[in-house]
Amino acid sequence: MEQEFVKPTEAQLKARRKRSVAIALALIAFVIVVYVGSLAKFGPALFDRAM
Amino acid sequence: MALVDQEHMKEAGYRLSEATPGDFIALLKPRVMSLVVFTAFVGMAMAPATPNPLLALIAIAAIAVGAGASGALNMWYDADIDAVMSRTKGRPVPSGRVTPGEALAFGLVLSALSVGVLGLMANWVAGALLAFTIFFYAVIYTMWLKRSTPQNIVIGGAAGALPPVVGWAAVTGTVSVESLILFLIIFLWTPPHFWALALFKSADYERAGIPMLPNVAGHAATKKQIFIYALLLAASGLLPVWAGFASLAYGAVAAALGVGFVWYSWRVLQMPESDQAMKPAKALFGYSLLYLFVLFTALLADRLAASLGFGFGS
């Protein structure tokens, strides 16, 4: 199968970089929301479990 | 550097995206989102319980993202008509910066995440209500009513009126008369707000083939309907006092705002058919935004005053 490389333009690379940063920030924010939210919802009981 | 088959390159859908995060934020309709956040917050603040501030903040964020997700789904489905309307042709999908598939995936993922987070962090009554709101806006309004009936924004307005009910439910786990009164106020506010816009943008809606009331029933009938809804809205603004969850001070503010709304609607009713500038309709549209913001701020201030012991009696 004949293949060839596609070279993204500078604008496409820049946009992709920005999207990657935004996705990373959104993921970090989501993890923090779930972690902190769980602590707030369950309180100290969250850690009260059999080892 | 992307490696692709030549066959794939020939497909019309192949492209390297230049969409920025800003384009995806635009898909969330931030201005609509801000109104949703505000009304949902008032719904939470009016509820007879004090939520954990952190969980309340997360609930508000989930409601905001849910509203944004429904906006993205709306822009995915409506890209064809958005492209022919001056007000919407610059949106990310019709302008080609974001593909319809990207908008759809974005909307669906955010819908699932927002409902899940609200359900887990607040309760599943609120989560279910948010899911229903997204479904109602994206499917009932966008896919069905908007293109098929001039009553589109009357029935579809229910989606925009639900955020305070979701906010109330996030705190109490229930739907009550009080939250339904907040729903009713926004529900009755929606038709005159959008019909005022539809009057001076009727050429746009005509071009897009959307059966808005001015295009189907004519301007005269629309103006009468606006006036009737203005009267109902002004009366509904007083219901919080009647139901006992707002003071007479709020009632005075609501009455004054309601008189203003009726006055602006009266001016629209008096607007001659030959009026091309339609300044009264534009003035009503602007006032309607102010009305809702000030009315809900008054409710919020009233609740705050009551909780600080400065109640003015109800």
Side-chain angles (χ1 to χ4, degrees):
Chain A
M1 188 181 293
E2 196 182 336
Q3 293 177 326
E4 73 173 33
F5 291 101
V6 174
K7 189 169 185 179
T9 64
E10 197 52 44
Q12 286 165 342
L13 282 172
K14 197 174 167 188
R16 187 168 68 186
R17 212 159 33 238
K18 281 184 181 169
R19 289 199 303 271
S20 301
V21 170
I23 291 169
L25 291 176
L27 273 174
I28 291 167
F30 182 67
V31 169
I32 291 172
V33 161
V34 172
Y35 180 73
V36 176
S38 300
L39 286 179
K41 190 161 177 73
F42 298 106
L46 193 66
F47 303 104
D48 185 17
R49 61 196 175 96
M51 296 302 285
Chain B
M1 200 177 288
L3 179 67
V4 294
D5 295 337
Q6 271 199 329
E7 280 306 305
H8 288 151
M9 283 185 68
K10 287 174 191 163
E11 288 174 13
Y14 177 76
R15 65 192 269 279
L16 287 176
S17 178
E18 285 186 21
T20 63
D23 292 321
F24 285 91
I25 289 171
L27 282 178
L28 303 176
K29 296 191 178 180
R31 274 188 298 180
V32 176
M33 203 196 239
S34 63
L35 197 63
V36 167
V37 166
F38 180 60
T39 55
F41 176 71
V42 173
M44 289 178 94
M46 298 305 290
T50 309
N52 178 308
L54 201 62
L55 291 176
L57 199 65
I58 292 173
I60 288 286
I63 295 168
V65 172
S70 61
L73 293 172
N74 170 275
M75 285 203 208
W76 157 68
Y77 193 81
D78 274 352
D80 58 337
I81 50 179
D82 281 350
V84 293
M85 291 178 64
S86 62
R87 191 169 65 89
T88 53
K89 65 183 177 191
R91 284 177 172 176
V93 181
S95 65
R97 298 193 302 278
V98 174
T99 65
E102 287 166 346
L104 174 64
F106 189 59
L108 288 176
V109 168
L110 290 189
S111 296
L113 282 178
S114 61
V115 170
V117 167
L118 188 63
L120 289 168
M121 296 297 167
N123 57 69
W124 285 103
V125 173
L129 279 168
L130 182 62
F132 178 72
T133 306
I134 296 169
F135 171 79
F136 200 90
Y137 186 72
V139 178
I140 305 292
Y141 170 69
T142 303
M143 296 184 192
W144 179 29
L145 298 171
K146 187 173 177 179
R147 300 173 191 233
S148 60
T149 166
Q151 292 297 312
N152 47 15
I153 47 111
V154 177
I155 309 164
L162 276 167
V165 183
V166 182
W168 181 287
V171 176
T172 64
T174 59
V175 175
S176 67
V177 174
E178 291 94 330
S179 64
L180 289 177
I181 286 174
L182 299 181
F183 169 88
L184 185 68
I185 291 171
I186 304 178
F187 184 74
L188 292 173
W189 168 87
T190 308
H193 169 73
F194 277 108
W195 285 337
L197 175 78
L199 276 175
F200 61 84
K201 289 278 183 187
S202 60
D204 250 9
Y205 285 111
E206 184 82 50
R207 202 161 44 244
I210 304 172
M212 293 300 280
L213 196 63
N215 305 87
V216 176
H219 283 207
T222 305
K223 290 173 198 168
K224 274 185 203 149
Q225 294 272 331
I226 286 176
F227 189 69
I228 292 167
Y229 271 94
L231 292 172
L232 293 172
L233 175 64
S236 75
L238 300 172
L239 284 177
V241 180
W242 172 79
F245 66 98
S247 72
L248 289 172
Y250 158 80
V253 174
L257 286 168
V259 168
F261 206 107
V262 172
W263 163 247
Y264 276 98
S265 303
W266 173 255
R267 285 183 55 209
V268 171
L269 190 64
Q270 299 299 312
M271 194 169 70
E273 285 283 322
S274 56
D275 188 344
Q276 295 294 314
M278 296 196 197
K279 278 186 181 167
K282 288 172 185 168
L284 175 63
F285 181 73
Y287 180 78
S288 66
L289 285 166
L290 187 74
Y291 173 89
L292 198 65
F293 178 72
V294 176
L295 190 82
F296 272 68
T297 303
L299 271 174
L300 203 58
D302 195 57
R303 172 49 54 101
L304 191 67
S307 66
L308 292 173
F310 298 111
F312 297 102
S314 56

